[in-house]
Amino acid sequence: MKIAVAGTGYVGLITGVCLAEMGYDVVCSDIREEKVLLLQSGCAPIFEPGLDSMLKRNLDAGRLLFTTDPELAYKNAELIFIAVGTPENPDGTANLDHVYEAAYTIGLCIDKDSIICTKSTVPVGTNERIKEIIRSVKPAHLEIQTVSTPEFLREGNAMYDFFYGDRIIIGTESEEAAKIVEQVFLPLKIPLIKTDTRSAEMIKYASNAFLATKISFINEIAAICDKVGANIEEVAFGIGKDRRIGPQFLQAGIGYGGSCFPKDTKALVQIAGNVEHQFELLEAVIKINIRQQLLAVQKAKELFGSLEGLRVAVLGLSFKPDTDDIREAASITILKALLAEGASVIAYDPVAISNARRVFGDEIEFTADIQTAISGAELSLIATEWDHIKYLPLEKYVQLMANPVIIDGRNCYSLKDVSKYPITYISIGRSALHPEQAQQHTRPGPNMKGRYDETITSILSD
Ligand code: UDX
């Protein structure tokens, strides 16, 4: 069976490479020539553990092709996945231009009956529009069916999730199409859920909205723990043991980022609004996350007073470990706030520096060496829980910082371990350590409260 994939972004590339690994003949198409050339040479344009070797293996085996030629991609294909981006419009809705363009091109190029599966995250009803577009331009004698097959790949674990995911959703009104798609994924032995198209489209948004809700919920509990002297990790462990709640996605921190949660939560609020339903719960989740992304800066201001001229090492730039993706990362919000406060910033990340440099240019220093970052810093602010950061021995902070202060936005260290060192340590939803030392850091600035509020206001209006 020949399978085509439209779009070689995160979802399209992983889908194409993994389907080839399953033994299918796969052609991935993209309109960006330089990206296709890179992929043809066996290099992945994104950092994803395991991707490079699987890409090369399948190129060498001749099962995987990359092309800018849509005819080469879609002619003779029985199954075509649409996996192009659905970026956010200024009003929070999903921009479907690329999806509809891909559908149009597919309709023009196909030369046999085919099934079009949409992996892009699209609002309810989009698959019907995709079907209309393809039908309006395809040769009259051909039959097409559409299927909603939302993706649930986590960046950094995408290959694992493809082969060992929790479920595969197959949303279509065509039993025949559902059976064919089922056969394609059957070897993975992942539970397959067949449903109607609209429910499948909603499952994707509802999944991400629920996970984002869990994160904002635990961050709210962490904020209260901070005030009442409870420990968020003990609380998360205690509630997570209840199987109705579950232990996952209860890691308190400086909020969620990435290409999915921020975009999909806003889009779902819009989808609800379009049918005159105000999704108040999700609106609160989004608001809490914005506050959470600035929490580390707020804590720094409470500790130091003014951040003007303060040497700050921001540790971690990617929105989570094992990816170079900085889209909607808390680190970006933090860096903007620190710069607005006049701090002198050096940022460390093992893989995301080139992406961050595109945003900040020379405004901040970058280093791929964590020890260089913290040397001489007055504050180390942990934004991403990379292993390189989690396993940096605490002595290093003591050796390399004159008066070590860590604000840990990801609760990387245990309080017991930190308490053995002369380190001022502020984390999320857990007691501050050595707060008496913290007093020495206070450098009151003029009208601090007012200035902090201004920073928040300007960042939120960005
Ligand atoms: C997410 C979904 O998990 C995946 O199913 C979907 O298809 C795409 O979006 P991803 O964006 O790669 O995947 O990352 P994920 O691991 O879900 O984390 C998202 C964000 O939430 C990260 O910024 C992470 O740091 C944060 N997070 C996650 C928390 O703050 N606490 C947690 O307990 C879990």
Side-chain angles (χ1 to χ4, degrees):
M1 173 188 268
K2 177 185 168 185
I3 299 179
V5 182
T8 59
Y10 201 85
V11 175
L13 181 56
I14 304 287
T15 304
V17 171
C18 292
L19 284 167
E21 181 77 4
M22 287 177 75
Y24 297 109
D25 285 324
V26 181
V27 183
C28 297
S29 124
D30 202 291
I31 51 173
R32 288 175 55 192
E33 198 167 338
E34 72 281 6
K35 200 172 181 188
V36 168
L37 286 172
L38 192 70
L39 288 162
Q40 284 170 341
S41 73
C43 296
I46 50 168
F47 174 82
E48 179 65 34
L51 177 60
D52 273 325
S53 55
M54 203 181 281
L55 170 68
K56 282 199 191 87
R57 184 162 59 243
N58 286 285
L59 278 173
D60 292 346
R63 287 190 295 264
L64 184 60
L65 269 179
F66 293 95
T67 181
T68 50
D69 177 358
E71 296 219 341
L72 181 66
Y74 306 134
K75 279 206 183 309
N76 205 30
E78 283 160 74
L79 204 60
I80 302 173
F81 286 94
I82 297 181
V84 294
T86 51
E88 193 180 316
N89 282 319
D91 65 355
T93 53
N95 182 322
L96 299 172
D97 290 354
H98 298 312
V99 172
Y100 294 149
E101 276 159 27
Y104 187 79
T105 312
I106 289 167
L108 288 179
C109 296
I110 48 172
D111 60 352
K112 68 190 295 185
D113 293 351
S114 33
I115 297 168
I116 320 301
C117 299
T118 303
K119 280 222 160 272
S120 306
T121 301
V122 293
V124 178
T126 306
N127 273 276
E128 283 154 38
R129 181 78 193 110
I130 290 172
K131 195 190 276 180
E132 280 166 19
I133 292 174
I134 299 176
R135 285 194 172 155
S136 70
V137 288
K138 73 170 179 58
H141 67 284
L142 297 183
E143 279 298 321
I144 62 130
Q145 298 300 338
T146 51
V147 182
S148 167
T149 50
E151 62 80 23
F152 302 100
L153 306 173
R154 290 165 302 165
E155 293 189 23
N157 294 280
M159 323 299 282
Y160 177 89
D161 286 350
F162 184 93
F163 290 103
Y164 304 99
D166 291 334
R167 80 301 206 187
I168 291 171
I169 304 291
I170 301 174
T172 180
E173 278 59 53
S174 158
E175 262 183 48
E176 196 195 334
K179 259 192 212 137
I180 293 172
V181 176
E182 186 180 21
Q183 286 306 315
V184 168
F185 290 108
L186 215 53
L188 296 178
K189 299 193 171 70
I190 294 173
L192 294 155
I193 298 172
K194 289 197 238 170
T195 181
D196 62 279
T197 308
R198 286 184 170 236
S199 300
E201 290 167 333
M202 187 51 119
I203 285 169
K204 168 67 193 217
Y205 279 107
S207 298
N208 277 354
F210 187 77
L211 292 170
T213 303
K214 262 187 127 177
I215 297 171
S216 281
F217 176 83
I218 203 69
N219 284 335
E220 279 290 75
I221 298 290
I224 304 165
C225 284
D226 255 348
K227 296 201 165 135
V228 299
N231 180 320
I232 191 61
E233 283 182 345
E234 302 289 323
V235 175
F237 183 74
I239 64 174
K241 276 288 177 198
D242 184 328
R243 275 176 292 171
R244 294 168 302 173
I245 297 172
Q248 293 187 38
F249 277 70
L250 291 179
Q251 172 70 48
I254 47 176
Y256 59 78
S259 64
C260 288
F261 288 176
K263 175 170 77 75
D264 294 350
T265 45
K266 281 186 239 165
L268 186 51
V269 166
Q270 291 292 335
I271 291 167
N274 291 343
V275 287
E276 268 128 61
H277 180 86
Q278 191 174 358
F279 200 156
E280 291 175 82
L281 176 61
L282 200 54
E283 285 171 357
V285 166
I286 294 167
K287 203 165 149 201
I288 291 161
N289 197 59
I290 293 168
R291 181 203 67 197
Q292 209 66 16
Q293 288 201 332
L294 281 163
L295 187 60
V297 180
Q298 185 189 343
K299 286 181 183 262
K301 293 199 69 165
E302 280 162 13
L303 192 60
F304 288 95
S306 169
L307 304 183
E308 186 79 45
L310 191 80
R311 178 71 171 166
V312 184
V314 172
L315 306 181
L317 291 165
S318 55
F319 81 96
K320 66 174 192 178
D322 296 323
T323 174
D324 61 352
D325 196 341
I326 57 161
R327 283 176 288 176
E328 306 282 338
S331 66
I332 304 300
T333 311
I334 289 168
L335 288 170
K336 284 183 183 168
L338 288 173
L339 290 175
E341 292 292 333
S344 146
V345 183
I346 181 163
Y348 157 81
D349 195 281
V351 296
I353 289 177
S354 55
N355 284 339
R357 214 189 282 280
R358 272 183 225 124
V359 179
F360 291 99
D362 297 334
E363 276 187 288
I364 54 179
E365 283 174 59
F366 292 101
T367 175
D369 179 60
I370 189 166
Q371 298 198 31
T372 305
I374 64 174
S375 289
E378 291 163 276
L379 165 66
S380 288
L381 194 160
I382 299 176
T384 318
E385 66 277 32
W386 280 100
D387 279 353
H388 311 65
I389 299 170
K390 282 201 303 208
Y391 299 119
L392 181 73
L394 286 157
E395 302 84 82
K396 291 289 172 197
Y397 293 97
V398 180
Q399 284 162 15
L400 299 170
M401 295 173 74
N403 195 358
V405 184
I406 302 175
I407 294 182
D408 184 350
R410 298 293 178 186
N411 290 355
C412 288
Y413 293 106
S414 85
L415 293 183
K416 195 167 158 228
D417 288 347
V418 183
S419 66
K420 295 177 194 145
Y421 296 88
I423 296 175
T424 299
Y425 182 76
I426 318 278
S427 52
I428 309 291
R430 305 186 301 175
S431 309
L433 290 181
H434 308 299
E436 69 287 353
Q437 251 176 268
Q439 299 306 318
Q440 300 161 13
H441 300 287
T442 307
R443 313 187 309 171
N447 187 18
M448 289 321 304
K449 176 94 179 56
R451 287 192 54 205
Y452 175 60
D453 289 344
E454 277 164 32
T455 308
I456 290 193
T457 316
S458 70
I459 285 170
L460 297 188
S461 64
D462 261 2

